[in-house]
């Protein structure tokens, strides 16, 4: 709902769910937050789809490190 004084709140109640707040695209800050949220979501989806960045496949994992001496050292099989 637009006011006559030109003020628009950054958040407004959702029309679908009354207790939920959403960004108001009629406010410049709300519009920037909407674009920023969509951009970040798109970049993360792209990184996940291409398996790059933090979603890259890890190189081969090293095997477990076994102690060379002591009670837990491996022994040869009889």
């Amino acid at each position: 709902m637009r006011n006559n004084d030109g003020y628009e709140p950054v958040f407004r109640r959702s029309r679908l769910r009354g207790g939920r707040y959403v960004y108001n695209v009629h406010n410049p800050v709300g519009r920037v937050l909407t674009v920023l949220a969509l951009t970040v979501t798109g970049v993360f989806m792209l990184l996940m789809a291409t398996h790059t960045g933090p979603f890259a496949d890890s190189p081969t994992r090293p095997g477990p490190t076994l102690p060379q001496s002591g009670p837990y050292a491996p022994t040869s099989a009889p």
Side-chain angles (χ1 to χ4, degrees):
M1 172 186 329
R2 290 187 174 248
N3 298 330
N4 291 336
D5 61 357
Y7 172 75
E8 287 286 334
V10 176
F11 300 101
R12 63 177 174 87
R13 285 190 185 262
S14 173
R15 291 183 182 149
L16 299 176
R17 297 179 185 168
R20 184 177 171 190
Y21 284 88
V22 295
Y23 296 133
N24 184 3
V25 296
H26 297 294
N27 183 312
V29 175
R31 187 175 298 131
V32 168
L33 288 174
T34 301
V35 170
L36 184 66
L38 290 174
T39 302
V40 167
T41 302
V43 166
F44 272 98
M45 296 294 282
L46 181 67
L47 289 174
M48 284 191 282
T50 59
H51 299 285
T52 56
F55 306 104
D57 293 332
S58 61
T60 58
R61 294 175 58 175
T65 304
L66 299 174
Q68 299 302 319
S69 63
Y72 300 108
T75 58
S76 59

